[in-house]
Amino acid sequence: MTAYEYRAGLEGVPATQSSISFVDGQKGILEYRGIAIEELAAKSTFLETTYLLIWGELPSREELSAFENEIQYHRRVKYRIRDMMKCFPESGHPMDALQASAAALGLFYSRRDLENPAYIRETVVRLVAKIPTMVAAFQLIRKGNDPVQPNDGLSYAENFLYMLNEKKPDPLAARILDISLTLHAEHTINASTFSAMVTASALTDPYAVVASAVGTLAGPLHGGANEEVITMLEAIGSVENVRPYLEDRLERKAKIMGFGHRVYKVKDPRAIILQDLAEQLFEKFGRDKYYDIATELERAVEEKLGNKGIYPNVDFYSGLVYRKLGIPLDLFTPVFAIARVPGWLAHWKEQLAENRIFRPTQIYTGVHDAPYIPIEERRSSMTTME
Ligand code: ACO
């Protein structure tokens, strides 16, 4: 008989073998296909990084140009998808709208040819191209406007900001969004990627793979934290309030949003870059008082929790960047999803190349040989709905 050790949250348990990305949580290192995230942030673009993640190598000039053209060509979404989105309640969360729309793509592109490299490429292109269009479309529809069509003259990040704000963005703003997308593109076996891999392992269609990952990313312990960070900074309200707020949260054993990570025990390297991007934006477009609150909170948390390895994670500064870019609060996590599509799809492709369906085991903690009690003898402990 095999003895199993149970680890809550599968902490430290390898779920796969992968050559896509690497994290050293003690040294604060993140690499995509062996290239340091700092290098990619400084020198690459989101679409070039997407190519690198999916196909394992940086593209040649011709390969990149062909890939960018294909993405541009596929940015539009079918009018039926836009009409479907018009039926969504405008009060609904954009992550739910995105999950439903991503799954709906599977209705339109139902061919499933998982062993064909051309199908893999076509699917990557469709999802990378269309997800930003769907995020922007829901934003305009819920404001009562018609979605803006993608603009072929604009880069990936420029076009997203254009579809969202109905005007061409400032070049610095677009470059900073592009870097931010690169920073969020992949991160080993996090919760949403694991969801994607489990779904992929059943040989489900790739749109359902991405939809399941979007659902997982939406949670406040994962991608949803970026939204909660801003809500928290607003609740703190002033630099003077930072320490009393922190004391109160810690006394109540509540988490401080945007801090802590299962893997990083030092400041997340992406948070370091995002903090720098936030400073660049403030320099050009004006300072934000929430940045001062954030830096004071970082200092205070480090004093109190640094010994436990709790430092800012990627979500701590990304919200400040998105806010300055004019992205509405509840679109922060959808923007994270746009960025993570390449990571999910790289793992989908890797999973398909050597697939075995995920089917872990459990340690049963229930009873055995329980009697079947007739209904008239059972005591009810349920409360009824009013
Ligand atoms: N604030 C205060 N204390 C914290 C925090 C935090 N943000 N994060 C961890 N801790 C403490 C816990 O209270 C616990 O202390 P204890 O050992 O004294 O009980 C210890 O650190 C370990 O915490 P766990 O929750 O067990 O760590 P885990 O690895 O399971 O969780 C997680 C990691 C979920 C990210 C956690 O740090 C957290 O909830 N952070 C806040 C939410 C957040 O920012 N999420 C975004 C993560 S990045 C991403 O998903 C893209």
Side-chain angles (χ1 to χ4, degrees):
M1 200 181 88
T2 316
Y4 295 108
E5 185 197 350
Y6 167 60
R7 301 256 191 123
L10 297 183
E11 180 167 3
V13 178
T16 191
Q17 302 191 93
S18 178
S19 62
I20 301 168
S21 64
F22 169 81
V23 173
D24 183 328
Q26 300 295 336
K27 295 190 184 140
I29 294 173
L30 169 60
E31 294 169 344
Y32 296 169
R33 301 285 188 187
I35 305 178
I37 192 67
E38 291 80 5
E39 282 274 291
L40 292 167
K43 299 176 186 166
S44 187
T45 62
F46 176 65
L47 288 186
E48 184 184 65
T49 297
T50 297
Y51 189 103
L52 170 74
L53 288 168
I54 307 273
W55 287 287
E57 287 176 354
L58 286 168
S60 67
R61 201 182 290 278
E62 295 72 36
E63 285 166 336
L64 179 59
S65 167
F67 184 57
E68 286 171 344
N69 288 341
E70 280 172 62
I71 297 277
Q72 185 181 300
Y73 182 79
H74 285 280
R75 278 174 183 166
R76 280 173 177 68
V77 294
K78 294 195 185 288
Y79 82 85
R80 283 164 189 251
I81 297 233
R82 298 200 300 272
D83 284 359
M84 178 191 82
M85 292 173 112
K86 287 178 186 163
C87 299
F88 293 169
E90 57 268 18
S91 57
H93 196 286
M95 278 301 268
D96 292 327
L98 180 60
Q99 189 181 22
S101 317
L105 288 177
L107 292 162
F108 293 92
Y109 308 108
S110 54
R111 181 172 74 90
R112 198 157 42 101
D113 192 2
L114 301 176
E115 288 177 16
N116 181 348
Y119 173 81
I120 304 270
R121 181 170 178 123
E122 162 191 316
T123 305
V124 167
V125 166
R126 276 208 187 101
L127 278 158
V128 173
K130 292 183 196 303
I131 294 277
T133 311
M134 297 194 303
V135 171
F138 182 65
Q139 169 64 6
L140 292 206
I141 289 168
R142 70 179 175 164
K143 285 200 307 192
N145 299 343
D146 268 328
V148 171
Q149 286 294 346
N151 181 326
D152 286 350
L154 300 179
S155 73
Y156 191 82
E158 279 173 336
N159 179 56
F160 176 64
L161 289 173
Y162 164 76
M163 291 187 298
L164 206 57
N165 301 320
E166 302 178 79
K167 60 174 196 276
K168 285 191 187 170
D170 174 273
L172 177 72
R175 174 64 189 143
I176 284 183
L177 176 62
D178 194 78
I179 298 172
S180 174
L181 296 177
T182 301
L183 295 176
H184 287 81
E186 158 63 8
H187 207 245
T188 73
I189 311 303
N190 54 84
S192 57
T193 301
F194 190 43
S195 266
M197 287 165 55
V198 171
T199 311
S201 79
L203 303 183
T204 307
D205 87 71
Y207 303 99
V209 168
V210 168
S212 70
V214 169
T216 307
L217 187 71
L221 294 187
H222 191 14
N226 56 14
E227 195 179 316
E228 305 230 353
V229 167
I230 294 294
T231 309
M232 171 184 75
L233 296 178
E234 285 174 352
I236 295 173
S238 69
V239 170
E240 297 69 53
N241 227 358
V242 164
R243 283 166 197 268
Y245 174 90
L246 180 62
E247 292 294 342
D248 176 61
R249 296 281 297 178
L250 294 181
E251 228 162 77
R252 291 189 285 117
K253 299 212 173 306
K255 293 270 177 72
I256 315 299
M257 287 319 212
F259 286 86
H261 199 278
R262 175 64 61 81
V263 184
Y264 292 117
K265 300 304 163 203
V266 294
K267 188 167 175 177
D268 186 324
R270 300 165 298 174
I272 296 171
I273 303 170
L274 281 160
Q275 184 173 7
D276 177 57
L277 298 181
E279 281 172 7
Q280 289 182 41
L281 283 172
F282 297 145
E283 200 167 300
K284 178 149 188 191
F285 301 108
R287 210 174 165 78
D288 186 327
K289 79 166 179 172
Y290 295 108
Y291 182 63
D292 298 326
I293 298 174
T295 50
E296 176 64 8
L297 183 61
E298 180 179 345
R299 263 191 298 277
V301 171
E302 187 177 340
E303 283 167 25
K304 293 272 175 202
L305 300 173
N307 61 341
K308 278 192 188 177
I310 293 168
Y311 288 91
N313 59 46
V314 68
D315 287 324
F316 191 57
Y317 287 106
S318 65
L320 288 165
V321 168
Y322 296 155
R323 198 179 139 106
K324 206 67 195 169
L325 292 175
I327 296 170
L329 185 65
D330 61 1
L331 288 196
F332 291 3
T333 317
V335 170
F336 189 161
I338 292 172
R340 189 50 66 84
V341 168
W344 293 330
L345 293 176
H347 285 274
W348 167 64
K349 182 169 170 285
E350 191 174 69
Q351 182 66 35
L352 292 180
E354 216 164 305
N355 190 50
R356 188 157 190 228
I357 191 164
F358 277 96
R359 204 322 180 177
T361 189
Q362 64 167 15
I363 293 168
Y364 179 63
T365 59
V367 297
H368 291 286
D369 298 326
Y372 180 85
I373 302 168
I375 196 160
E376 53 282 1
E377 292 171 25
R378 294 175 212 162
R379 293 223 331 259
S380 172
S381 56
M382 265 183 69
T383 50
T384 50
M385 275 170 50
E386 305 239 325

